Amino acid sequence: MIDHDVLVIGAGLAGMRAALAASESGVDVAVISKVHPVRSHSNAAQGGINAALTDRGDPWEDHAFDTIKGSDYLADQNAVEVMCSEAGREVIAMEHMGVIFSRDDEGRLGTRAFGGQRQARTFFVADFTGQALLHVLYEQVLKVGVRTYEEWFVLSLIVEEGQCRGAIVMEIRTGDIHVIRAKAVILATGGLGRVFEPSTNALICTGDGMALAYREGVSLMDMEMVQYHPTTLKSNGALMSEGARGEGAYLINSDGERFMERYAPNMMELASRDVVSRSEQTEILEGRGVDGCVFLDCRHLGEKVINEKLSQISDLARDFANVDMSKQPVPIRPGMHYQMGGIKTDVDGCTSMRGLYAAGETACVSVHGGNRLGANSLLDTLVFGRRSGEHAANFARGVVERALNDGLIDRENRGIQAMMDRAGEGELFGSIRLDMGRTMNERLAVFRDDEGMRDAVSKLTELRNRFDSVAVTDKGKTFNTNLLFTLELGFMLDCAEAIALSGLERKESRGAHFRTDMPERDDKNWLKHILVSRGADGPIIENTPVIITQWEPQERKY
Amino acid sequence: MEVTLSVKRFDPDSDQHSSYNQDYVVEMEESATVLDGLIKVREEVDGTLALRCSCRSAICGSCAMRVNGQARLACNTKLVDIVDSGKVVVEPAGNMEVVKDLVVDFSPFWDKVRDVKPWLDPEGPDPDPDQEYLASNEAMLDLAGVMACIMCGACVSDCTVLEVDPNFLGPAALAKAYRFVADPRDSDDEPRLSDLNEYGGMWDCTRCMQCVEVCPKGVDPMGRIMSLRDKAMATGYTSTYGARHSMAFTNGVRQEGRVDELSLPVLSKGVFNIVEQIKMIPLGIRAQLAGKRPPILPHKNPGQENVRRIFNRLDKHDNSPDRLEIPTAIIGLASPVVLTFVAIIAFLILQFYWNSESVSGLKPDAYQSGSVEPFTRFSYFHNCFWFYCDPETSGSELVVNSNAEAER
């Protein structure tokens, strides 16, 4: 058995920030990740990180208001206040660690404009901000000597008498199962994009943390809020950064018209993502698209801007759409991108279970509510990663070590062996995942309705039955990715269930949850969060009010 | 489009202990990448195929592997661009131990990254939490080129130095090291440069360009290694073999308009490094015997004055350390190679008296007794020298003697 004070599951920005904070608090910390830390999906964040630097003339309250308006008033305002007021120092702390942020003429941090905000307050490193932050945090983790378990996979949490005591894990390279005992556990496993097909998310984004918590009866919140990013490539769903529109790129339809004029006359292309995605989808549905796409037009930006600030997406456009961005518009469409919901936490990362914390995309504080602003996700991971790391370290100091129940490894071994022993005739995991992804992308996308979501729920039940007889064809122990994907599919089916049930429950349109059968926002009845957890007899759905501090809900116009 | 993916496979758990190639025929769209093909195989055809992959957009660095013999990211390599008569050969990345199929052991890679102390080490007291360090955007843009490295290991896979010397830090770790040396916020670079000056560090790169060729992110690891060398020399680390070689090379070209192959090794090893100089003698003899000895008498290439002018102009823009200005030709004349040449002449004169009574006692016994095929004069000459030159053939004289004994 392995022992640590704080165990962080996931090594993206939230996980490593949490580990660093906990380590600085002086407790023994370990990070476990199913991929090497620098392979984490935080890499993919291109555009930047928001922070209002109050002493430079951008009051953090303005950032908070933009975030709350962007969330369609579903965000908890106390949490947004924490995030926005701590943003400046967080960004500067990252700069001190070595992030090579873009500079202004005086050598100070420079900013770019981003969607849904009235001020240019997005700090950035070309168009690979996430990668630049992730690699620097990994450097810091190396510097302070946090133990990292790379390519270890979490099978389940250890919960005894209502308190999280560690995790049961599998070393991918050897297939060996270990118990890691910890006084506090932080889930920072990122998003669940692979529940949808296509998605901008990496193949590793399989909602592990949400499902691990859900299975132990911990509440998930706002799960119906799934963000579709306005600019993804058709061929492979790759993301074209909002930074492009921040730099001034247009969205045009098949007539060459800047159609956002009709949907968001003030903010145009930089309206919030739910609004832009819906507008694009409307254009496409009404016949003003080409081949299911509209266009991102960067031609007027010039080669210098494209090469210096948008080099990565220019490569993507060339490689996957065969388009030279400086000469032709790029065909794009809305694509599943981010889960606003997740494990319900408070502003210190505490979940509904003692000893269990969550941070980053896997958590729901809730700062994003119905729609996340571009460049707020990196901020979310850092601020709440740090806070949960600090809180977990303090909590761990007060926990008395105790012996764990016997037979934890045997229990997991039996489960896996049962899967492995199944005759090789069964279905492969791939086709079940594809059916799930397509169902979700059809029924819980930009536009939803009651009938579609009901269909999704019943389809998911059918898929779960198919999953129960899925065959693991690789019978080996070494690096058995076949087994891994099958376990991940189990996690994803749990997440899909939570999304579909929450979507059915919310009987209004708000943020990313737009119902064609109930197109209006209904503050009277639905200014509240939907919670879903798994009880002994199946899913339990509850509500909790939205916390309003200083911004009363208003009509949302861009 | 129908594609045959010929995948090199290895499963340590199976009875088959060596790797083998397995062909998968898949139907793919024109826009599909190698990774799309492999995922299709894994999800629909053969679930046992192991590979690492994640982001599908060339940012996570998981899927570097050899495609048609060259390291690439599977996710940004389009099948249509590389398919050769319907077939694409996929193998695991090189220079790393295979764990299973296309999965290789990256631990030595990460160990080397850790060895360069890859974290910012700013000077002075803790900074003000509300104020960033000031730095120019140009400096940040230069670093952005290196920070674009996704640690995929393509450069390490195809590095020709690592192939023969696993101790070499390798292009990725050295590029990472450059990132800190070049960062204006990092403290004194001297300790970093001093470490990188050691065996396995910056001077072990042979400049084969392979890493530049295969890097999917345009990081130019070799260029960064060259920048490290410049910085090391500018900092005063001029006494390593590499630094001296570099200076001697440049100096030769500056003075004579050509690479002076006689002085180059002497200056590189150090003029007073007698042991190393003596070690070069066999090389000189081999060059002599193969007819590849460089000309001994000093001469300049035609148009040398133009080369000199180029140097003069560059010097105006350059802050490199003062160069060694001893005429290379003189050094060249003192080369053991030249001294050896003189020795050879002396030996030939000796040969002239070969058959005279006065020196016949020097001949080996076997030779005198005529019990072995008489060597030609040259081959005996040759063998005697190879005895000293080459460990592979150093037994030749012993063979002569033992044959003779057998005959007796």
Side-chain angles (χ1 to χ4, degrees):
Chain A
M1 187 171 65
I2 302 163
D3 260 309
H4 292 287
D5 290 339
V6 175
L7 175 66
V8 182
I9 301 174
L13 286 181
M16 288 203 285
R17 189 69 191 86
L20 207 55
S23 169
E24 280 163 3
S25 304
V27 298
D28 166 49
V29 189
V31 179
I32 176 169
S33 171
K34 64 179 176 180
V35 292
H36 186 279
V38 308
R39 313 280 181 231
S40 301
H41 191 54
S42 304
N43 263 329
Q46 299 170 345
I49 177 167
N50 290 331
L53 300 183
T54 307
D55 58 348
R56 297 181 199 179
D58 184 14
W60 66 260
E61 290 86 351
D62 287 3
H63 179 199
F65 173 71
D66 287 343
T67 301
I68 288 159
K69 180 182 172 189
S71 81
D72 220 351
Y73 295 92
L74 188 65
D76 283 331
Q77 298 187 2
N78 64 326
V80 175
E81 286 174 352
V82 166
M83 181 176 81
C84 295
S85 61
E86 295 183 4
R89 284 200 168 186
E90 201 59 51
V91 167
I92 287 175
M94 290 305 298
E95 196 278 333
H96 290 159
M97 289 179 204
V99 177
I100 50 161
F101 284 113
S102 181
R103 307 283 164 151
D104 63 15
D105 293 340
E106 289 159 20
R108 309 186 84 185
L109 300 182
T111 55
R112 66 163 41 135
F114 236 61
Q117 304 180 66
R118 295 157 299 161
Q119 274 278 351
R121 61 168 74 94
T122 304
F123 297 91
F124 65 101
V125 180
D127 58 357
F128 58 89
T129 315
Q131 186 207 337
L133 290 165
L134 184 73
H135 283 232
V136 165
L137 268 184
Y138 178 61
E139 292 162 14
Q140 295 297 311
V141 162
L142 287 181
K143 184 180 179 182
V144 301
V146 168
R147 175 83 166 87
T148 54
Y149 297 91
E150 291 146 16
E151 295 184 330
W152 286 39
F153 184 84
V154 177
L155 299 165
S156 62
L157 298 175
I158 301 169
V159 178
E160 290 185 357
E161 291 165 13
Q163 183 166 340
C164 187
R165 297 276 182 180
I168 306 171
V169 302
M170 184 171 71
E171 191 178 349
I172 298 172
R173 180 163 178 168
T174 61
D176 293 339
I177 295 177
H178 306 271
V179 167
I180 301 185
R181 186 168 63 168
K183 295 170 183 167
V185 174
I186 303 175
L187 291 168
T189 56
L192 49 64
R194 299 302 291 167
V195 168
F196 289 72
E197 178 67 36
S199 156
T200 63
N201 286 198
L203 305 179
I204 54 172
C205 299
T206 51
D208 302 6
M210 294 181 213
L212 286 168
Y214 185 56
R215 286 176 182 182
E216 301 299 336
V218 175
S219 299
L220 307 183
M221 183 164 86
D222 296 348
M223 289 298 282
E224 72 279 18
M225 296 302 178
V226 177
Q227 180 166 80
Y228 273 66
H229 194 287
T231 49
T232 69
L233 291 181
K234 188 181 181 195
S235 64
N236 65 348
L239 175 68
M240 303 292 280
S241 169
E242 189 164 307
R245 281 172 290 138
E247 297 295 338
Y250 302 146
L251 289 171
I252 56 176
N253 59 20
S254 58
D255 304 330
E257 176 205 10
R258 282 181 76 184
F259 56 85
M260 285 309 296
E261 210 153 26
R262 283 183 274 117
Y263 303 94
N266 297 320
M267 297 290 278
M268 297 290 286
E269 282 84 358
L270 289 177
S272 68
R273 286 178 176 175
D274 57 331
V275 172
V276 180
S277 284
R278 257 194 308 278
S279 311
E280 288 178 359
Q281 198 61 35
T282 307
E283 291 294 303
I284 294 165
L285 291 174
E286 291 178 359
R288 290 186 294 278
V290 174
D291 208 11
C293 291
V294 288
F295 300 93
L296 178 70
D297 187 356
C298 299
R299 287 173 295 183
H300 56 289
L301 299 180
E303 285 194 21
K304 187 171 186 294
V305 170
I306 291 175
N307 292 339
E308 269 181 20
K309 295 185 172 171
L310 305 168
S311 59
Q312 197 200 137
I313 63 169
S314 142
D315 290 352
L316 288 174
R318 186 198 59 218
D319 292 344
F320 300 117
N322 255 333
V323 167
D324 176 352
M325 238 168 58
S326 62
K327 297 197 174 69
Q328 288 166 277
V330 191
I332 48 91
R333 63 177 180 183
M336 189 279 168
H337 182 54
Y338 186 85
Q339 168 63 283
M340 268 75 74
I343 304 163
K344 179 184 171 13
T345 71
D346 66 9
V347 293
D348 289 312
C350 302
T351 67
S352 59
M353 176 182 286
R354 264 174 70 78
L356 183 67
Y357 293 77
E361 189 172 345
T362 205
C364 177
V365 191
S366 136
V367 283
H368 308 305
N371 171 66
R372 174 177 68 78
L373 293 188
N376 261 359
S377 58
L378 294 184
L379 182 58
D380 171 16
T381 62
L382 294 178
V383 170
F384 295 107
R386 173 177 52 74
R387 291 180 69 99
S388 55
E390 285 165 357
H391 201 279
N394 275 333
F395 176 84
R397 277 200 203 91
V399 174
V400 182
E401 204 81 80
R402 52 176 275 177
L404 297 177
N405 287 338
D406 294 335
L408 287 170
I409 291 185
D410 287 347
R411 189 187 79 194
E412 289 301 328
N413 257 331
R414 273 198 303 278
I416 287 176
Q417 208 50 49
M419 251 182 205
M420 302 278 272
D421 289 347
R422 243 173 250 154
E425 308 297 298
E427 199 175 356
L428 287 177
F429 72 92
S431 57
I432 300 178
R433 193 199 66 79
L434 209 57
D435 280 357
M436 170 187 67
R438 286 182 179 153
T439 303
M440 296 298 281
N441 202 43
E442 195 179 334
R443 301 304 195 186
L444 285 124
V446 176
F447 293 116
R448 305 168 170 180
D449 62 23
D450 187 73
E451 192 196 335
M453 289 188 285
R454 276 185 202 289
D455 176 65
V457 172
S458 65
K459 180 87 183 177
L460 286 171
T461 314
E462 178 209 316
L463 289 171
R464 184 165 289 282
N465 291 333
R466 279 162 62 189
F467 176 71
D468 288 339
S469 59
V470 74
V472 177
T473 47
D474 189 343
K475 309 292 183 192
K477 283 197 81 176
T478 309
F479 225 95
N480 187 339
T481 48
N482 192 220
L483 170 64
L484 221 58
F485 298 147
T486 309
L487 294 166
E488 286 174 343
L489 178 59
F491 288 152
M492 287 192 278
L493 285 166
D494 287 343
C495 295
E497 171 187 289
I499 295 168
L501 290 175
S502 304
L504 257 181
E505 178 71 9
R506 185 171 289 281
K507 294 180 179 58
E508 62 155 356
S509 287
R510 183 184 297 272
H513 179 72
F514 191 93
R515 294 181 62 145
T516 49
D517 52 350
M518 298 174 190
E520 299 302 320
R521 193 174 89 189
D522 177 4
D523 286 343
K524 190 158 156 277
N525 295 307
W526 287 102
L527 192 58
K528 57 188 179 189
H529 300 287
I530 294 166
L531 301 177
V532 53
S533 58
R534 186 176 280 171
D537 306 318
I540 304 165
I541 294 192
E542 295 160 292
N543 294 310
T544 184
V546 172
I547 299 170
I548 308 278
T549 58
Q550 44 180 315
W551 295 279
E552 280 304 315
Q554 307 164 359
E555 195 192 351
R556 184 162 165 259
K557 269 190 178 162
Y558 284 103
Chain B
M1 139 177 92
E2 194 183 87
V3 182
T4 303
L5 292 166
S6 180
V7 184
K8 191 170 187 181
R9 303 208 55 190
F10 170 71
D11 181 2
D13 297 333
S14 83
D15 302 332
Q16 191 164 0
H17 291 296
S18 56
S19 58
Y20 58 97
N21 274 54
Q22 186 164 356
D23 286 1
Y24 299 101
V25 182
V26 281
E27 186 61 37
M28 302 301 299
E29 285 183 28
E30 287 287 310
S31 62
T33 62
V34 172
L35 182 61
D36 293 333
L38 292 170
I39 290 176
K40 185 161 184 155
V41 170
R42 184 172 81 174
E43 295 208 348
E44 295 170 22
V45 186
D46 183 353
T48 67
L49 178 67
L51 68 140
R52 290 192 184 99
C53 56
S54 179
C55 74
R56 300 165 296 142
S57 40
I59 194 75
C60 76
S62 303
C63 67
M65 53 188 74
R66 278 196 176 144
V67 180
N68 288 350
Q70 195 184 46
R72 291 164 175 275
L73 291 180
C75 72
N76 73 348
T77 304
K78 283 165 87 174
L79 285 165
V80 68
D81 293 340
I82 51 146
V83 70
D84 183 20
S85 47
K87 198 167 179 175
V88 172
V89 181
V90 186
E91 298 162 300
N95 287 330
M96 286 176 270
E97 193 190 326
V98 178
V99 174
K100 182 181 175 186
D101 296 338
L102 301 171
V103 177
V104 295
D105 181 10
F106 254 75
S107 11
F109 177 97
W110 295 116
D111 288 346
K112 286 173 182 175
V113 169
R114 197 171 301 143
D115 281 348
V116 305
K117 300 192 183 67
W119 48 78
L120 193 75
D121 193 8
E123 275 177 324
D126 283 349
D128 180 343
D130 293 314
Q131 299 299 330
E132 66 275 44
Y133 294 117
L134 295 183
S136 74
N137 201 42
E138 289 64 42
M140 294 294 112
L141 280 176
D142 173 47
L143 292 178
V146 205
M147 281 301 283
C149 170
I150 55 175
M151 300 276 156
C152 67
C155 56
V156 164
S157 160
D158 285 17
C159 173
T160 52
V161 176
L162 279 167
E163 222 173 285
V164 292
D165 182 8
N167 188 61
F168 181 42
L169 277 171
L174 284 167
K176 184 87 178 168
Y178 168 82
R179 175 247 171 284
F180 295 101
V181 170
D183 194 318
R185 300 166 296 178
D186 200 62
S187 59
D188 194 5
D189 296 330
E190 220 172 298
R192 287 190 194 275
L193 289 168
S194 161
D195 287 352
L196 299 170
N197 229 0
E198 300 290 318
Y199 166 53
M202 62 173 97
W203 293 105
D204 286 25
C205 166
T206 58
R207 302 207 280 187
C208 72
M209 299 285 286
Q210 199 64 26
C211 59
V212 182
E213 177 86 16
V214 300
C215 176
K217 303 300 282 187
V219 171
D220 181 17
M222 192 197 86
R224 311 295 174 174
I225 298 173
M226 295 311 120
S227 301
L228 278 176
R229 291 180 178 179
D230 285 346
K231 283 182 187 288
M233 286 165 67
T235 312
Y237 289 104
T238 50
S239 59
T240 52
Y241 173 71
R244 282 197 302 251
H245 180 80
S246 170
M247 286 189 293
F249 192 101
T250 320
N251 226 30
V253 177
R254 176 201 295 267
Q255 291 180 18
E256 299 177 29
R258 65 186 183 98
V259 177
D260 187 328
E261 287 166 309
L262 279 182
S263 66
L264 193 62
V266 180
L267 288 168
S268 301
K269 298 280 186 189
V271 181
F272 301 110
N273 191 347
I274 306 296
V275 177
E276 284 297 316
Q277 301 292 354
I278 291 173
K279 279 190 194 163
M280 280 192 294
I281 290 176
L283 178 74
I285 294 165
R286 282 209 299 274
Q288 175 68 40
L289 295 174
K292 292 195 172 178
R293 176 181 48 71
I296 289 176
L297 294 178
H299 71 282
K300 290 179 177 177
N301 265 8
Q304 183 273 340
E305 58 284 359
N306 292 330
V307 176
R308 183 109 204 177
R309 290 225 307 277
I310 294 171
F311 270 93
N312 288 344
R313 177 162 304 180
L314 280 172
D315 283 348
K316 287 180 193 156
H317 302 283
D318 196 7
N319 300 319
S320 300
D322 294 338
R323 288 185 179 77
L324 196 64
E325 278 289 353
I326 305 168
T328 50
I330 294 175
I331 304 277
L333 283 176
S335 155
V337 176
V338 175
L339 298 179
T340 308
F341 178 70
V342 174
I344 290 167
I345 301 288
F347 202 90
L348 285 174
I349 294 167
L350 205 66
Q351 291 284 307
F352 184 74
Y353 297 103
W354 183 254
N355 289 319
S356 76
E357 289 300 311
S358 60
V359 291
S360 63
L362 292 174
K363 294 178 190 175
D365 294 348
Y367 218 74
Q368 279 185 324
S369 66
S371 59
V372 289
E373 274 295 301
F375 288 110
T376 63
R377 202 166 280 182
F378 182 72
S379 67
Y380 173 70
F381 180 42
H382 189 139
N383 269 334
C384 284
F385 278 106
W386 275 98
F387 174 74
Y388 295 103
C389 308
D390 196 333
E392 298 280 295
T393 53
S394 64
S396 55
E397 199 169 34
L398 293 174
V399 171
V400 171
N401 287 327
S402 59
N403 278 353
E405 243 151 54
E407 285 295 320
R408 278 192 201 121

